[in-house]
């Protein structure tokens, strides 16, 4: 309960921290279902897009593939590698709330808490990410680095036309991570990370279990 007081970081306009006082701490570890998410959003989205979940898997054997500087999603070409990175950056760039009151009034559904693995050799990851989504599809959250004891704010959005999710981490303009909203209902979620328009890496989010009440209340060792 006292963790946030010792880990201040710039929230960004839509930060879900406005809702911390409305719920018990373990609310933010809740695992969502696709059905719950499908009925959560207030937007008018294409029914044919949301009638079935879309799972995004990147690289060899996946449904999002880079081939000769072109990107194919489910076998369909969606643009060049540069254009695909630009579209992720645009999706992750969300306007600030019109007022502080609007930010405080926003309701948030937790997407859970994940360890962030940067590759097969990263078997003991030191980064943890916690995510939530509001009714307009805005993504918010926190990335915490256990090695440096530093936190950064997360902000991004769900694309209602494709179920694609893209987020920005902290104040790094060149780093954008993308996945699918359905991915974030699973125990493991493949993530494609764009470093500008020229380089990508495949990361993996692995869902963490909420600590028991006694563990949450105990002081850190």
């Amino acid at each position: 309960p006292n963790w946030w007081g010792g880990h201040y970081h710039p929230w960004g306009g839509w930060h879900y921290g406005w809702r911390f006082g409305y719920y018990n701490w373990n609310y933010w570890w809740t695992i969502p279902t696709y059905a719950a998410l499908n009925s959560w959003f207030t937007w008018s989205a294409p029914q044919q897009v949301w009638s079935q979940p879309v799972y995004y898997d990147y690289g060899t054997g996946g449904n999002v593939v880079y081939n000769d500087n072109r990107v194919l999603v489910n076998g369909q070409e969606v643009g060049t590698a540069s254009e695909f990175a630009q579209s992720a950056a645009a999706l992750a760039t969300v306007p600030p709330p019109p007022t502080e009151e609007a930010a405080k009034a926003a309701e948030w559904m937790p997407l859970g808490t994940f360890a962030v693995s940067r590759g097969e050799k990263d078997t003991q990851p030191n980064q943890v990410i916690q995510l939530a989504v509001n009714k307009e599809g805005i993504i918010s959250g926190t990335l915490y680095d256990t090695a440096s004891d530093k936190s950064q704010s997360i902000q991004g959005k769900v694309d209602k036309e494709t179920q694609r999710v893209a987020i920005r981490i902290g104040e790094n303009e060149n780093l954008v991570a993308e996945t699918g909203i359905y991915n974030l209902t699973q125990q493991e979620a493949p993530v494609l990370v764009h470093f500008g328009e020229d380089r990508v890496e495949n990361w993996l989010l692995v869902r963490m279990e909420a600590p028991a009440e006694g563990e949450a209340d105990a002081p850190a060792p």
Side-chain angles (χ1 to χ4, degrees), residues 62-82:
N63 62 342
V64 181
V65 179
Y66 283 67
N67 184 10
D68 193 24
N69 199 40
R70 312 297 291 183
V71 180
L72 291 83
V73 179
N74 294 320
Q76 292 189 325
E77 186 175 307
V78 296
T80 65
S82 178

Side-chain angles (χ1 to χ4, degrees), residues 6-23:
H7 295 85
Y8 172 79
H9 57 283
W11 271 4
W14 284 109
H15 201 281
Y16 67 159
W18 294 119
R19 284 277 164 174
F20 286 163
Y22 287 77
Y23 304 98

Side-chain angles (χ1 to χ4, degrees), residues 14-20 22-23 27-28 37 39-42 101-111 131-140:
W14 284 109
H15 201 281
Y16 67 159
W18 294 119
R19 284 277 164 174
F20 286 163
Y22 287 77
Y23 304 98
Y27 173 77
W28 305 102
L37 278 168
S39 60
W40 170 254
F41 299 118
T42 55
E101 288 69 26
K104 291 180 179 180
E107 298 180 60
W108 296 94
M109 175 182 285
L111 297 170
L131 298 170
V133 62
N134 76 4
K135 288 182 173 290
E136 289 74 46
I138 302 293
I139 298 285
S140 183

Side-chain angles (χ1 to χ4, degrees), residues 12-205:
W14 284 109
H15 201 281
Y16 67 159
W18 294 119
R19 284 277 164 174
F20 286 163
Y22 287 77
Y23 304 98
N24 190 289
W25 65 269
N26 57 11
Y27 173 77
W28 305 102
W29 296 72
T30 305
I31 303 174
T33 65
Y34 179 73
L37 278 168
N38 210 344
S39 60
W40 170 254
F41 299 118
T42 55
W43 58 39
S44 177
Q47 285 299 314
Q48 66 271 24
V49 174
W50 291 85
S51 60
Q52 296 292 329
V54 178
Y55 188 74
Y56 284 82
D57 196 5
Y58 305 94
T60 304
N63 62 342
V64 181
V65 179
Y66 283 67
N67 184 10
D68 193 24
N69 199 40
R70 312 297 291 183
V71 180
L72 291 83
V73 179
N74 294 320
Q76 292 189 325
E77 186 175 307
V78 296
T80 65
S82 178
E83 290 169 342
F84 193 62
Q86 291 171 14
S87 67
L91 180 60
T93 305
V94 300
T99 63
E100 187 173 290
E101 288 69 26
K104 291 180 179 180
E107 298 180 60
W108 296 94
M109 175 182 285
L111 297 170
T113 303
F114 302 84
V116 183
S117 175
R118 295 173 177 243
E120 293 182 0
K121 295 181 179 180
D122 189 12
T123 58
Q124 298 292 327
N126 58 18
Q127 292 187 326
V128 177
I129 193 169
Q130 192 171 55
L131 298 170
V133 62
N134 76 4
K135 288 182 173 290
E136 289 74 46
I138 302 293
I139 298 285
S140 183
T142 303
L143 179 74
Y144 174 58
D145 190 307
T146 60
S148 65
D149 197 30
K150 301 296 185 182
S151 303
Q152 298 181 78
S153 184
I154 301 295
Q155 195 158 276
K157 195 172 184 180
V158 184
D159 183 0
K160 67 179 180 181
E161 303 291 338
T162 62
Q163 299 189 27
R164 185 186 186 193
V165 170
I167 59 173
R168 292 187 180 275
I169 300 173
E171 299 178 357
N172 189 332
E173 291 292 326
N174 293 318
L175 191 152
V176 174
E178 69 166 89
T179 185
I181 192 66
Y182 178 64
N183 293 42
L184 297 174
T185 69
Q186 305 300 298
Q187 293 300 313
E188 295 183 353
V191 174
L192 184 69
V193 181
H194 300 269
F195 296 86
E197 298 179 12
D198 302 322
R199 181 166 68 94
V200 294
E201 291 183 4
N202 293 326
W203 293 6
L204 185 69
L205 303 185

